[in-house]
Amino acid sequence: MTDTPSTPDTPDDSGERIAKVLAHAGIASRREAERLIEKGRVSVNGEILRTPAFKVMPDDDVRVDGESIGQRPPTRVWRYHKPVGLLTTHSDPQGRETVFQTLPQDMGRVISVGRLDLNSEGLLLLTNDGELARVLELPSTGWTRRYRVRAYGNASDKALAELENGTVVDGVVYGPVEVTVDRRTGANVWLTVGIKEGKNREVRKVLQSVGLTVNRLMRVAYGPFQLGSLKRGDISESKLSVLRDQLGKLYPLDTDGQPLKPGETAKPDTRTGTAKAKPKANRPHQKSGGKAKSGPDADSIMPAGGKSKSGKGWAKAKPKANEKPKSNKRADGKPSGGKKAEGRKDADRRRRS
């Protein structure tokens, strides 16, 4: 091993902390990255690091166990329906099956956002961005984790309502817990529980403090991400447009899925937008007694108010099939000619006389 490389003689705001770089690359979370550095498994420009207090420049060659971490990939997030019986860990000393052993190989290395214990099921967020995982796990983020819970016991509505003020269990302080009673069936009660901190086995311990033993626990939402109709063991990746919308200012991403630095704004996405409709082909000319038309005639469209713009009037209706043509004869059999016809008759009588 060599001595720890010295931090470049540059302003304090240049470069990124090595632990953050490893987290962004999906190698490990910040805490795990610090442990890797302590074990001497991380090098920068060929020199082994001994402390995480080191900033990496864009052109630095960062390696873990001798392998380059490569360029930072776009941020990706998956929704996974964790079944009961899987551990949320990358390795288990007892050899039990883990979540990550069941995932498709082409996903690469991913990190869970928080954890679900062995006997819990439901929504588990996975990401290739360790820094994003850290941000989403922070209580200050304010995202609510919502659970569907079945518990054994008889807790009063008053005791459950008081959990919204926070509680202390075995010396551990827990923040507000929202509890809604959905229904009671015999000795069991079905609840909807919402928490914001996500401490170790928080839901089970808090409900135990009011006399309820959880026998089924399913996470149905993590902030804006919902379990929805995702079946047990299934996984679904969120689209980049959805990520940018749901993460918002909390963890802004550019149009390529890269995190934006403070003060940066995303460039307009030239790859998206509404496609322009192709112009319709001209219809074949139709004979209508006039000039052939190659498109709609504005004068043939009735405007608001019911009058034509052209003043040409509307085409006369064709006579009905069973309608007889009108006759000039009157009902008494005599032709109908009006006053002019009567005048001609009088002149004829005078000439004959």
Side-chain angles (χ1 to χ4, degrees):
M1 292 186 180
T2 60
D3 293 336
T4 301
S6 58
T7 303
D9 186 15
T10 51
D12 293 338
D13 59 353
S14 62
E16 286 187 310
R17 288 280 185 136
I18 181 62
K20 186 175 182 179
V21 171
L22 294 177
H24 275 317
I27 302 300
S29 65
R30 281 198 183 188
R31 291 182 180 180
E32 292 173 342
E34 291 175 357
R35 286 194 287 267
L36 292 176
I37 294 169
E38 291 174 358
K39 294 178 181 179
R41 298 172 57 185
V42 180
S43 66
V44 178
N45 299 330
E47 298 184 358
I48 301 297
L49 291 183
R50 293 185 182 276
T51 173
F54 179 81
K55 289 188 176 182
V56 178
M57 305 304 292
D59 296 333
D60 286 343
D61 179 21
V62 181
R63 295 177 179 268
V64 176
D65 295 333
E67 294 186 10
S68 175
I69 64 172
Q71 295 183 346
R72 189 203 180 288
T75 294
R76 302 172 68 185
V77 174
W78 294 263
R79 293 181 304 121
Y80 174 64
H81 189 156
K82 175 195 172 297
V84 172
L86 296 180
L87 290 174
T88 311
T89 182
H90 285 276
S91 62
D92 178 53
Q94 301 180 27
R96 291 172 294 182
E97 190 175 16
T98 72
V99 165
F100 302 99
Q101 292 173 347
T102 67
L103 301 178
Q105 294 294 326
D106 58 1
M107 284 180 60
R109 181 181 172 83
V110 295
I111 300 169
S112 65
V113 179
R115 296 190 178 191
L116 287 174
D117 61 43
L118 182 67
N119 296 318
S120 298
E121 58 185 307
L123 179 63
L124 183 65
L125 295 182
L126 304 172
T127 179
N128 66 338
D129 189 337
E131 181 64 15
L132 172 61
R134 187 190 72 87
V135 171
L136 298 186
E137 290 173 355
L138 293 174
S140 59
T141 299
W143 277 11
T144 299
R145 292 87 153 157
R146 204 166 298 281
Y147 300 82
R148 183 92 165 114
V149 181
R150 185 183 66 194
Y152 173 81
N154 186 19
S156 66
D157 291 344
K158 180 180 178 181
L160 294 173
E162 289 178 351
L163 294 177
E164 293 190 17
N165 300 320
T167 185
V168 179
V169 181
D170 297 332
V172 179
V173 179
Y174 295 96
V177 178
E178 302 173 6
V179 181
T180 301
V181 178
D182 298 324
R183 71 177 187 272
R184 298 181 186 270
T185 56
N188 289 317
V189 57
W190 282 94
L191 309 168
T192 298
V193 179
I195 62 175
K196 293 184 182 297
E197 291 182 325
K199 292 180 179 178
N200 184 36
R201 300 175 66 84
E202 180 174 350
V203 175
R204 297 180 186 272
K205 292 179 179 180
V206 169
L207 292 181
Q208 181 69 45
S209 69
V210 294
L212 293 177
T213 301
V214 174
N215 49 40
R216 186 177 181 185
L217 188 146
M218 175 186 289
R219 184 192 282 161
V220 295
Y222 196 112
F225 294 92
Q226 306 288 322
L227 179 64
S229 59
L230 205 61
K231 297 180 180 179
R232 289 184 182 89
D234 284 356
I235 187 167
S236 175
E237 182 174 6
S238 299
K239 295 181 179 179
L240 177 58
S241 58
V242 174
L243 288 184
R244 297 185 65 196
D245 178 64
Q246 294 182 338
L247 297 179
K249 296 181 180 179
L250 179 66
Y251 196 80
L253 299 173
D254 64 15
T255 54
D256 294 324
Q258 301 289 343
L260 293 172
K261 295 180 180 179
E264 284 187 340
T265 57
K267 297 179 180 179
D269 191 353
T270 58
R271 300 170 299 175
T272 59
T274 305
K276 295 182 179 179
K278 295 181 180 180
K280 295 182 178 179
N282 293 335
R283 294 182 179 180
H285 293 186
Q286 298 178 352
K287 294 181 179 180
S288 58
K291 295 181 180 180
K293 299 179 180 181
S294 60
D297 184 358
D299 292 331
S300 68
I301 301 175
M302 177 67 79
K307 295 183 179 180
S308 171
K309 294 181 180 179
S310 64
K312 295 180 180 179
W314 298 90
K316 294 182 179 179
K318 295 181 180 180
K320 297 181 180 179
N322 297 328
E323 185 178 1
K324 294 181 180 180
K326 293 183 179 180
S327 174
N328 291 331
K329 292 184 178 181
R330 298 186 304 181
D332 56 4
K334 296 181 180 181
S336 175
K339 292 183 179 181
K340 291 184 179 180
E342 293 295 333
R344 287 196 295 271
K345 291 179 182 178
D346 291 341
D348 291 340
R349 282 197 294 271
R350 285 194 294 270
R351 283 194 297 272
R352 284 196 296 271
S353 61

